[in-house]
Amino acid sequence: MDATAWIERWGEPAVLALCGLVVGLGFGFFAQRSRFCLRAAVIEFWHGRFGEKLAVWLLAFSAAVVAVQGFVVAGWLDVGTARQLSARGSLSGALIGGLIFGFGMVMTRGCASRLLVLTANGNLRALLSGLIFAVVAQASLGGVLAPLRETIAGWWVVEGGASRSLLALAGAGPLDGLVFGAVWLVTAGFFAHYSGWSAWKWVGGLGTGLMVALAWLGTYQVMAHSFEPVQIQGLTFSGPSAEWLMRVLAEPGKPWTFGLGLMPGVFLGSLVGALIGRDWKLEGFGGAYTMPRYIIGAIFMGFGSMLAGGCAVGAGMTGGAIFATTAWLTLGGMWVGGGLADRLLDRAPATAPAGASAAP
């Protein structure tokens, strides 16, 4: 059964939600098994180490770039209508939002996707942070924080089209993007090989990146075979988190979307990975001193993600894989913001009670 038959039988919303569920299952499972985490990679980088965490992130990111650009070169995917490239964007929002998000993800010990993965593993700290993240993201999208977000985003804007594509600005094409991704994929593989990785690290890192590409491909195929207007979209967690929050609080009946299928898929995929690896463990806060840090960090991430136009996966990997200018600016901001937060937290006086857990 091709995409047209699926759409005719079930309708666009159901097919998009199913696509999101499948992608989410894969992403959750692979991210859990590989311990994929931008926050951990940033900390290794700023401590001058090219360790396992940094190699996992680079492997996943480069795999996403190679797969997405490969799909484009093969003619299976056209990302020209993606909002990250076609719509008006904010450079000030991307940079400042990335800095704020990066600061927050270090405080909460995980980005938005990592919080969902950890929640499925029994981590109650991640659950609390994720809920606060969703509330603040919604408040920043259309609530009390929306005017502040719009003001900052309006400081430095860029029109959609070639000016939002790094490849177009550089006079390059998808084949050049494919080569760029392949170089970094080989680099990540080199460091991974000499780190003595297990098979799960390899499969998990590559699989995480491939799920980012599969999200683009799946939604594009629905758009290409649909008689109704459908927006091509990638894998992200800020919008879907706010969307799920409003679906729970508001009256039911709204159509299903890719994001609504994605979130439960990631949770279930991570849960399966935790059960297979015997990683499931109920965890709470090690001491009351940690709770303010997690709450403040989640607030930063919620506002920063909406200001930047996406989270570490949505803006960083999903937008980065199609070489969106704002996405790469956001990603750079996250690395800088995360590094600054790590340095400041390192200098903070130690107030942890004896025996308190420092696990994420």
Side-chain angles (χ1 to χ4, degrees):
M1 185 180 292
D2 59 20
T4 302
W6 279 94
I7 293 172
E8 290 178 350
R9 182 172 181 178
W10 302 106
E12 289 87 352
V15 175
L16 282 172
L18 179 61
C19 180
L21 178 65
V22 172
V23 170
L25 284 168
F27 182 91
F29 179 80
F30 291 129
Q32 197 280 333
R33 298 309 301 149
S34 65
R35 304 296 191 269
F36 169 82
C37 179
L38 175 61
R39 169 251 173 196
V42 167
I43 290 177
E44 279 196 347
F45 174 80
W46 284 105
H47 282 254
R49 302 193 306 268
F50 200 122
E52 181 179 282
K53 305 279 193 309
L54 184 54
V56 166
W57 185 87
L58 184 58
L59 185 68
F61 178 75
S62 56
V65 174
V66 168
V68 169
Q69 296 302 315
F71 290 155
V72 174
V73 170
W76 300 346
L77 174 64
D78 182 1
V79 295
T81 59
R83 67 169 179 83
Q84 293 92 332
L85 295 176
S86 62
R88 194 183 193 194
S90 169
L91 297 178
S92 56
L95 178 58
I96 297 173
L99 287 167
I100 295 173
F101 186 96
F103 206 97
M105 75 176 178
V106 170
M107 296 184 72
T108 58
R109 303 184 68 86
C111 66
S113 64
R114 183 64 177 164
L115 293 180
L116 183 56
V117 168
L118 289 175
T119 298
N121 293 188
N123 192 314
L124 299 181
R125 301 187 299 273
L127 174 61
L128 174 63
S129 301
L131 290 174
I132 295 173
F133 167 79
V135 171
V136 177
Q138 178 59 38
S140 304
L141 178 63
V144 67
L145 295 176
L148 176 61
R149 174 185 59 82
E150 292 170 355
T151 298
I152 297 175
W155 290 344
W156 188 11
V157 298
V158 59
E159 297 299 327
S163 59
R164 289 203 67 180
S165 171
L166 286 178
L167 291 179
L169 290 174
L175 186 58
D176 302 289
L178 177 61
V179 173
F180 175 87
V183 170
W184 284 107
L185 184 62
V186 171
T187 302
F190 173 82
F191 285 101
H193 174 73
Y194 283 96
S195 297
W197 277 13
S198 66
W200 275 123
K201 290 290 184 181
W202 283 99
V203 173
L206 291 171
T208 300
L210 290 177
M211 290 304 105
V212 173
L214 187 61
W216 279 123
L217 181 64
T219 59
Y220 174 75
Q221 290 301 317
V222 174
M223 182 193 75
H225 292 87
S226 175
F227 293 104
E228 300 293 333
V230 174
Q231 176 67 53
I232 178 177
Q233 55 189 301
L235 204 160
T236 187
F237 290 87
S238 51
S241 295
E243 191 177 6
W244 257 109
L245 175 68
M246 296 309 297
R247 193 173 184 88
V248 171
L249 298 178
E251 295 183 5
K254 292 185 178 180
W256 284 84
T257 64
F258 177 84
L260 288 176
L262 173 71
M263 299 294 283
V266 172
F267 183 90
L268 292 174
S270 177
L271 178 60
V272 171
L275 294 175
I276 290 176
R278 298 183 179 180
D279 297 325
W280 199 94
K281 179 182 178 182
L282 194 62
E283 296 181 81
F285 287 92
Y289 82 101
T290 62
M291 188 174 288
R293 189 191 72 188
Y294 280 84
I295 293 175
I296 295 171
I299 292 172
F300 283 172
M301 283 206 305
F303 181 73
S305 66
M306 284 302 176
L307 177 59
C311 60
V313 171
M317 291 185 66
T318 295
I322 62 173
F323 289 92
T325 305
T326 49
W328 281 80
L329 193 59
T330 296
L331 191 58
M334 289 177 182
W335 283 80
V336 174
L340 291 174
D342 180 60
R343 295 296 176 88
L344 290 175
L345 290 174
D346 278 348
R347 293 175 182 175
T351 57
S357 171

